[in-house]
Every structure is written in structure tokens, then in C-alpha cells.
Amino acid sequence: MNWKKLLCEKRRRGYSTTSVSNDPRNEFQRDYHRIIGSASFRRLQDKTQVFPLDRGDFVRTRLTHSLEVSSFAKSLGQMIFRNIFADNIDNELEEQDIEKICSILECAGLIHDIGNPPFGHFGEDYVRDWFVRNLPKLELGGKKLSEILDPQMCEDMYHFEGNAQALRLLTKLHFLVDENGMNLTYGLLNTIIKYPVPSTAINKKSGNIKDKKMGYYYADREIFEDIVSSTGAVGCRHPLAFILEAADDIAYKTADIEDAVKKGFITYSRLVYELKNTYLPKCGDNERTMFEKAVSRLEYYYIQAVEKNLSSPEHNAVQRWIIYVQGLLLRCAASSFIENYNDIMAGTFPKELLAASDAGTLAFALGDMAYRFVFCSKEIYSLEIAAGEIYEFLLSKITSAVVVFDTEYGSSFIEKRVMRLISENYIRAYRISSEGKSEKEKLYLRLMLVTDYLCGMTDGYAKKLYTELSGIG
């Protein structure tokens, strides 16, 4: 791979407006303004990051998380490529490329979660589980849907993925001018494709991070293939996807711990204890010194807070420490990218940047503690059960309606009204995509209407719709 192709400015609509004015922005900076002005981006302010149905004023939403990821991704781009350029690691990299790379990363951070459904990652899990449980039982014209559809069509439902939905939203569903979505640059779109495989090629045991999940739906295979052939990232990740992933990891791993301490899921003393006794012993020789220094810094911040007679020295210490750890992880991720640059550019690097760095155990510790003390807590389970009731109801109602929509089989009185609730943009996208297709593919595309509609909902809208349709309100 080379940066001339990787920084592909091609757009699906097939034209650029750069020559129309004296606008000094590069094409990727133009993408930035398309994104922040979109309704899809604004909806992230009412989508959960971790705590579903929580209305606390400090807990992060998808929007605040995306802004953090955008900032970290741009910073990583600057740290990495200034060094690569200064040290002549890649003779083909030009200084003007660095600005473009940073613009791509800044935009990618904003949109990396734009396809996710309501109620955090729990929402993704519930959609997958619902289709696994129900698709084999649903029928159309006396035939099981799972028998009508091709294997990949079924697997798309069983492995529903917010990453794949983001690509779909950005290239089709965001209907402003035409059916080409936001019409973003291919260099940017390829960066958000963390897993460049279809649902039928997922292999979590392959040892290569790119095979962990699916990155695109069967419905969007032509767009995917056009993107990767244009950028040259065929059969592998775009190099900037590694940086976006690291920025995402740093943002959520540190934020989850900060939020967990603020909400009382884990105390300062417990945090120190876990770091020293559970995770420090797991460190390799090259990690131990850095890990010990990080723990000492946390304790030092606490002592300072006590000496200053702050009202909550524990919270102050953790907040300061999180900022310190973010800087540490950024430096380690940057070093990891540079150290593995040749393999990354060859498309053969199989790991996450942080996992391959000297901060691997520290990054693991943050994520593992969040899982143990937050995601497995009774409070989160209670919130997720409530969110699950909403999903179960909406999925059943919407799927029942879309299966018979646009077929010779008549829709019921209620099913017709459910279809009227679905966004005209999504219906229009279905009409365009299904034109001239077989009945089997039309059925598949109608099922995509279910996930399209759900992913377009905010937490508040999903809860409101459930309340109204169930007659609770």
C-alpha cells in the first residue's frame, strides 16, 4: 500500500467541488463539515456510551465519546507521521500528506460509532440475539425466512454490527441530495472499516484482528469493493484504521474507569489494589517499570489532593491520573505504529496497536476492570433488562411489518401503520436498492429496514416509541 492511493479523494457521486472556489480546505476537511452538520451526528448526543437509560449529567454519550476519539486520533496522526517524515522512514510520504492524514483521522473519530443502535453495545448484542432466536421461526408464504435467504444474508442478521451499519448509513441512508449518503471520500470511509470481511468470513481464532467482526453487509458489498480497490487496501486494513482503533480504545478504556469511579462502581483504594495485585503480576519485563510508575503517579495525585484539602481527593486523583494515562497510552500507540510500520503498510500486521505496545497490560487492566466492576454490576444489568424489553417489543413489531411489506401478501391493519413510522429516507433507500432484484434479495433488504430504522433511533426516541406503541404512556 502507498499513501497516494490510501489518501483517496474519490467520492461515490463522482465529482469534487474543490475547483469551484478558492476554498483552501483539503477534501477531507470538507468531509468534516458534512459530518458535523448532519442529523445523524447530532443524534449521538442522545445515544448511550455505557449506561443505558441513565440521565446523569456527567456520564459520556456517544457524542462526547466520538469527540474524544476524534481528538485522540488526530493527535496520534500528528505524533506518528511527523516522526515518520522527520526520520525518513517512508520516502514516499510527503509533508502535505500529514495534514490530509490528520484530517481523515479527525473525521473518522466523529463517525466511527455513527451506525450504532440505542443503548450502547448492549443494543448490538440484543439485535444479534433476537435474530438468532427469531429468524429461523419467521415465515413468509409458508416458508421459513432462514430457508429463503442465502447464508450470508442470514449471517448479516446474526452478526449485526455497528461498524458495518456506519458504512451503510454514510453511503446510502443519509439521504440529503441523492442515494449516495453523505458522499464522503473513500480514504475516510476505508479508515472506519475496522474489519474488512463479510459476515461469512468472521474468524475470531485466526490471530488477525481484521477477522474479529464483519465490516460490511451483503447489501453494501459493491460499495465496499469499490472503496478498497480505490485505496489499495484489498484484503487488509487501511493503515489509519489501526490508529482509529487505538484512539477509540484509549478514549473508552480511560473514560469507563473515570465514570465508574464517579458513579461509585469502584473506589480509589480498590483501583490501586487491583492495579498492584491483579494486573502488575501480569506485566512482562518490558512493561513492569512503566506500569509501576503509573500506579505510583495515581498514589501521588491522591496525596497531593489530600494535602490541598480537596473535598473529594479520591475523585480528583483519578481524574488527574486518567489524563496522565491517556498521554501514556497515546505515546505507546504511536511508538507501536512506527515500530510495526512496514508490516502495517504491507497489510500483514495482525494486532491492535496497544496490545503490541509496552502499555498492553495497562490497557488490558482498564478494560478488564470496567467489565468486572461496571458491565457485570446489578445496576447495569437492571438498565439493560429494561432496554431489552424495549428492543424485544420494537424488533417484533417492526420485523412483522417489513416481512410482508412490498409483497403479494397483505399487511394487517397495524402492520401498515408501523411501516408509516419508518423514515421515508430508509424506505427510499430500500426502493432504490431493491429495484430489479429477486424476491429473495428484496426480503433481505426489507430485513435491513429493521436495523436501519432501529439504528436511526436515539435512546430517548426508542423509549418514547415503545411507551406509545405498547400503550404504557
Side-chain angles (χ1 to χ4, degrees):
M1 291 181 283
N2 66 81
W3 290 109
K4 291 297 174 283
K5 288 196 70 175
L6 290 168
L7 300 178
C8 179
E9 298 180 357
K10 178 180 176 181
R11 301 179 188 274
R12 189 160 176 81
R13 194 173 294 134
Y15 67 85
S16 169
T17 58
T18 302
S19 60
V20 174
S21 69
N22 294 321
D23 191 340
R25 297 175 299 169
N26 63 50
E27 286 300 312
F28 310 111
Q29 289 167 335
R30 289 171 175 271
D31 284 341
Y32 181 89
H33 291 92
R34 295 181 185 214
I35 294 164
I36 62 171
S38 70
S40 299
F41 180 68
R42 290 195 297 276
R43 288 191 188 101
L44 295 176
Q45 67 186 315
D46 188 26
K47 285 195 175 185
T48 298
Q49 180 61 19
V50 175
F51 301 94
L53 301 175
D54 188 283
R55 285 294 171 261
D57 60 356
F58 61 82
V59 173
R60 286 169 171 84
T61 65
R62 287 283 183 195
L63 179 62
T64 53
H65 168 70
S66 297
L67 292 170
E68 290 171 343
V69 175
S70 176
S71 176
F72 288 150
K74 183 177 181 180
S75 295
L76 277 172
Q78 293 169 335
M79 294 165 67
I80 290 168
F81 290 97
R82 288 293 175 195
N83 278 288
I84 289 175
F85 182 76
D87 296 339
N88 293 315
I89 295 174
D90 187 339
N91 293 328
E92 294 185 358
L93 182 72
E94 299 179 2
E95 190 165 12
Q96 64 185 15
D97 294 333
I98 300 175
E99 182 181 31
K100 294 179 180 179
I101 287 170
C102 291
S103 294
I104 288 177
L105 289 168
E106 184 177 27
C107 290
L110 295 179
I111 60 176
H112 79 285
D113 274 348
I114 206 166
N116 285 60
F119 311 128
H121 288 295
F122 169 80
E124 289 179 283
D125 293 336
Y126 202 96
V127 172
R128 295 179 198 123
D129 178 71
W130 192 90
F131 277 109
V132 168
R133 287 186 288 112
N134 291 281
L135 193 61
K137 295 186 292 185
L138 294 170
E139 295 184 357
L140 178 64
K143 294 182 180 180
K144 302 287 187 183
L145 300 193
S146 57
E147 296 174 357
I148 298 173
L149 300 171
D150 286 344
Q152 186 176 347
M153 296 175 180
C154 293
E155 293 299 319
D156 281 1
M157 300 295 115
Y158 300 153
H159 296 281
F160 165 77
E161 178 60 46
N163 290 285
Q165 189 68 29
L167 179 65
R168 179 169 175 76
L169 169 66
L170 296 167
T171 58
K172 288 184 178 178
L173 303 182
H174 181 85
F175 198 103
L176 185 62
V177 177
D178 57 24
E179 68 274 16
N180 294 307
M182 286 192 196
N183 201 38
L184 301 176
T185 55
Y186 279 15
L188 171 56
L189 291 173
N190 204 169
T191 296
I192 68 166
I193 302 174
K194 294 168 64 177
Y195 310 104
V197 296
S199 57
T200 49
I202 297 172
N203 184 358
K204 296 182 179 181
K205 297 180 180 179
S206 72
N208 195 319
I209 190 66
K210 75 176 182 64
D211 302 325
K212 184 179 177 181
K213 301 177 182 179
M214 75 167 168
Y216 63 96
Y217 297 117
Y218 173 82
D220 308 317
R221 64 197 183 282
E222 293 178 2
I223 294 175
F224 169 80
E225 289 166 1
D226 189 22
I227 290 170
V228 298
S229 63
S230 297
T231 63
V234 178
C236 61
R237 274 186 168 184
H238 190 292
L240 298 186
F242 288 97
I243 299 175
L244 175 63
E245 177 179 60
D248 188 18
D249 288 348
I250 294 168
Y252 82 77
K253 286 177 184 290
T254 56
D256 287 355
I257 294 299
E258 182 181 7
D259 288 350
V261 171
K262 284 182 176 179
K263 289 186 70 68
F265 286 93
I266 184 170
T267 63
Y268 161 81
S269 58
R270 186 69 183 185
L271 177 59
V272 173
Y273 175 85
E274 292 290 336
L275 288 169
K276 286 183 174 179
N277 296 279
T278 302
Y279 302 104
L280 180 58
K282 300 179 186 292
C283 287
D285 293 338
N286 59 325
E287 297 178 291
R288 180 171 292 273
T289 299
M290 181 184 294
F291 197 101
E292 290 176 335
K293 183 179 179 182
V295 178
S296 296
R297 184 61 67 98
L298 175 58
E299 293 175 312
Y300 171 70
Y301 288 151
Y302 175 74
I303 292 171
Q304 279 197 323
V306 171
E307 290 175 346
K308 293 178 181 179
N309 198 31
L310 298 181
S311 60
S312 182
E314 296 90 351
H315 287 187
N316 178 265
V318 172
Q319 282 183 292
R320 290 185 65 191
W321 185 69
I322 288 299
I323 295 171
Y324 166 80
V325 170
Q326 287 171 345
L328 177 63
L329 295 179
L330 284 169
R331 291 191 295 274
C332 287
S335 295
S336 182
F337 188 94
I338 294 170
E339 289 168 5
N340 296 285
Y341 185 72
N342 290 335
D343 289 341
I344 289 171
M345 294 300 289
T348 58
F349 185 64
K351 301 179 180 179
E352 298 175 352
L353 292 180
L354 285 175
S357 76
D358 291 344
T361 301
L362 178 58
F364 169 78
L366 298 175
D368 191 54
M369 282 190 287
Y371 175 77
R372 291 167 53 210
F373 293 101
V374 180
F375 291 98
C376 293
S377 68
K378 289 183 179 179
E379 180 176 339
I380 292 296
Y381 283 160
S382 296
L383 291 170
E384 289 180 341
I385 290 170
E389 287 296 309
I390 295 173
Y391 266 109
E392 188 70 26
F393 179 85
L394 293 179
L395 280 164
S396 297
K397 286 289 185 185
I398 300 167
T399 304
S400 173
V402 302
V403 167
V404 293
F405 173 68
D406 192 31
T407 69
E408 62 186 48
Y409 307 100
S411 298
S412 72
F413 184 76
I414 294 298
E415 288 167 346
K416 290 177 181 178
R417 280 153 179 75
V418 170
M419 290 305 303
R420 293 293 296 271
L421 297 176
I422 298 177
S423 166
E424 291 182 9
N425 284 352
Y426 301 155
I427 298 292
R428 185 185 292 111
Y430 163 75
R431 296 288 189 193
I432 292 171
S433 298
S434 64
E435 187 175 355
K437 297 294 195 302
S438 66
E439 290 304 313
K440 171 174 59 180
E441 191 156 352
K442 285 182 178 181
L443 169 61
Y444 163 73
L445 292 171
R446 291 199 300 277
L447 289 175
M448 295 298 295
L449 263 176
V450 178
T451 50
D452 290 344
Y453 184 35
L454 276 173
C455 290
M457 296 181 189
T458 62
D459 292 17
Y461 180 82
K463 183 179 180 182
K464 177 176 177 287
L465 186 63
Y466 164 73
T467 301
E468 291 175 348
L469 298 187
S470 63
I472 294 175

